[in-house]
Amino acid sequence: MTTLPGPGAHVLVAGGGVTGPAVARALLRLGAAVTVADGKPVAREKIAAEVPEVAVVDLDDLDPAGYALVVVAPGFRPTAPIVVAAQDAGVPVIGDVELAWWIDRAGAFGAPRDWLVVTGTNGKTTTTQMLESILAHAGLPAVACGNIGRPVIDAIADAADPRVLAVELSSFQLHWAPSVRPRAGVVLNIAEDHLDWHGSMAAYTADKARALTGDIAVVGLDDPVAATLPAATGFTVGEPAPGQYGVRAGMLIDGAGSSIVPAARVSPPGPAGIADALAATALAQAVGVTAAQAGAALTQFRVGAHRAEPVATVRGVTYIDDSKATNPHAAQNSIEAHERVVWVAGGQLKGADIDPLVARVASRLAGAVLLGVDAELIAAAMARHAPDVPVVRVTSGDDSRVSPVTNDASRSIGTSVAGDVRVSGDADAVMTAAVHAAAGLADVAGQSRTPVVLLAPAAASLDMFRSYGHRGEAFATAARALGAAS
């Protein structure tokens, strides 16, 4: 660990977003002189108002030479100009999580805490929420933080002094936190994601694997990449080997063979929810929680918004918002929890290959409604691997009005494209049209077996929506409106 920046140290914080104010406040508490740099005027105004004690400057063309340390927001790539310039000038570059670790290990904000780190391509937030719930049920002063929303550095500065941190970390955060050695850490799974940031699958995997450098390492044994990483134990949704976590006779069991909770009581249902529950239990047991305590908490746990959340049932069709499924691996888990699905998908694929997902789930698809910047890539994959599944593409245009979409059954069966829908209006209008199209496909498919309508985009949301939450809310609003109109 590098020496903490104290009185007299001049520290540059690059990025004034979610973590910037928290980092600035922590550095001021240590006595450092702080400059926050951001390229957006709105962000600079915001942090100047929130933390008036810091200097606020424009990030563009800033020379980091002369600073003792640069703390970057997680989204900064290793090739970002400010990072390269700092490294060329011999200035250390770290992330906010790394700074939080330095502060915590030094005892600067109280006695060091137990860090329980959760990472993976998918399931991080649900697992972290489960973990926090288990810890609280067991009576441990704990808090969820990190990528889940609350900066870790805020959590360790909390006057409530949580003793255990349930820390969700993204691959970006782990890249910029090389010193973190948690009490226990888990890699849930690893699939193609953020390769545009990391540069390669190997680099992405290496950053994820940093969660396993602490005392106890846990991996998802059903995932072909995570299972190859060195670990003390692991979990499977099947029958576990001795010392592993898994499912036996419909019951989740821990590494000692003790019963945790019936699989049917786990929310969200399906293999992904069970895997997350096993991972959360494994981490909680690293700080003394029993299988019975974990099971009691899991029976009461309910998944958060936009994570396989049923939002409406209209004419016997259930509409499910899994907007958090922002990559193909997450969408696969979501789709495979259901026998028959009208799939609402699309957005920014971020370079991920969609073909393996479509090929795997084709037999479950009763239809697909595609939207967003990479809709054509998904449509092409559907044509290759699911040519008999009807597809509707919803695009925005200025020459059409928004109206309910009714699918013509004669066009829908046995064709790769059921129709193209053009709407005018904002992203919410596009989603409304998409939900109407999905309802039409579900009505046709329901003549044989009623499907669910599932928003599992397999892609990021920022091409159209403010966030995955906004996308999920638009879907839920449109689905509920169907019920009100029927």
Side-chain angles (χ1 to χ4, degrees):
M1 183 186 76
T2 302
T3 303
L4 281 178
H10 199 173
V11 181
L12 175 65
V13 179
V18 175
T19 61
V23 170
R25 287 190 292 265
L27 289 166
L28 290 170
R29 184 171 168 181
L30 294 172
V34 182
T35 298
V36 180
D38 198 289
K40 299 177 181 178
V42 172
R44 294 198 295 271
E45 292 171 8
K46 182 174 180 289
I47 197 162
E50 287 187 24
V51 194
E53 302 92 338
V54 304
V56 181
V57 300
D58 192 342
L59 179 64
D60 295 339
D61 300 320
L62 178 65
D63 183 3
Y67 288 93
L69 179 70
V70 174
V71 183
V72 294
F76 278 81
R77 302 185 189 199
T79 56
I82 190 68
V83 173
V84 174
Q87 292 171 336
D88 288 347
V91 180
V93 180
I94 64 171
D96 66 294
V97 175
E98 178 79 355
L99 179 62
W101 178 258
W102 291 2
I103 292 170
D104 192 50
R105 293 303 97 179
F109 292 177
R113 288 84 176 162
D114 283 321
W115 290 43
L116 304 177
V117 169
V118 179
T119 197
T121 303
N122 302 299
K124 295 186 295 296
T125 298
T126 299
T127 301
T128 304
Q129 290 174 331
M130 286 178 169
L131 176 57
E132 182 185 38
S133 177
I134 291 169
L135 295 169
H137 188 87
L140 296 174
V143 65
C145 54
N147 195 56
I148 200 169
R150 184 182 192 186
V152 184
I153 209 160
D154 265 356
I156 65 170
D158 194 326
D161 194 25
R163 293 287 85 213
V164 185
L165 305 181
V167 188
E168 177 188 332
L169 294 183
S170 69
S171 57
F172 305 161
Q173 290 168 313
L174 284 161
H175 178 88
W176 293 118
S179 300
V180 172
R181 302 290 183 269
R183 177 75 183 88
V186 63
V187 175
L188 301 169
N189 44 59
I190 297 178
E192 285 188 356
D193 200 18
H194 302 302
L195 300 191
D196 52 348
W197 196 98
H198 292 276
S200 69
M201 188 65 175
Y204 175 60
T205 301
D207 283 334
K208 286 291 191 186
R210 287 182 171 179
L212 305 177
T213 56
D215 297 338
I216 299 173
V218 183
V219 296
L221 298 170
D222 299 328
D223 183 85
V225 180
T228 65
L229 301 175
T233 187
F235 59 90
T236 173
V237 298
E239 177 77 20
Q244 296 175 355
Y245 291 71
V247 181
R248 181 174 296 149
M251 179 70 70
L252 275 64
I253 63 171
D254 69 8
S258 299
S259 296
I260 303 169
V261 66
R265 300 288 300 276
V266 174
S267 175
I274 290 170
D276 294 345
L278 290 167
T281 300
L283 294 189
Q285 289 193 322
V287 290
V289 175
T290 67
Q293 288 171 324
L298 289 167
T299 60
Q300 300 172 21
F301 177 81
R302 292 297 176 267
V303 70
H306 315 303
R307 295 170 175 84
E309 178 188 17
V311 294
T313 300
V314 182
R315 296 190 296 276
V317 176
T318 299
Y319 290 74
I320 299 172
D321 166 17
D322 199 5
S323 185
K324 188 65 168 66
T326 56
N327 55 64
H329 188 271
Q332 175 189 313
N333 288 338
S334 191
I335 294 168
E336 289 184 340
H338 307 281
E339 291 185 5
R340 198 78 172 139
V341 171
V342 173
W343 183 31
V344 181
Q348 298 163 302
L349 287 173
K350 301 173 292 183
D353 184 1
I354 197 70
D355 281 73
L357 165 64
V358 175
R360 176 158 177 153
V361 303
S363 64
R364 296 177 184 265
L365 298 180
V369 180
L370 309 178
L371 65 162
V373 67
D374 286 333
E376 288 301 320
L377 295 178
I378 304 175
M382 292 290 295
R384 285 189 289 271
H385 304 292
D388 294 329
V389 175
V391 175
V392 176
R393 291 174 294 204
V394 181
T395 58
S396 60
D398 297 331
D399 56 353
S400 312
R401 64 185 179 89
V402 178
S403 59
V405 178
T406 302
N407 246 41
D408 181 347
S410 66
R411 288 194 299 127
S412 299
I413 303 300
T415 62
S416 61
V417 178
D420 292 334
V421 177
R422 289 181 64 81
V423 300
S424 61
D426 58 12
D428 295 80
V430 173
M431 182 59 80
T432 296
V435 169
H436 278 283
L441 292 175
D443 284 344
V444 173
Q447 295 172 9
S448 54
R449 266 189 304 161
T450 302
V452 300
V453 172
L454 173 65
L455 173 65
S461 59
L462 298 181
D463 58 326
M464 294 175 61
F465 300 92
R466 294 188 300 274
S467 64
Y468 75 81
H470 175 207
R471 178 171 60 188
E473 289 160 7
F475 174 84
T477 298
R480 291 169 185 142
L482 284 177
S486 61

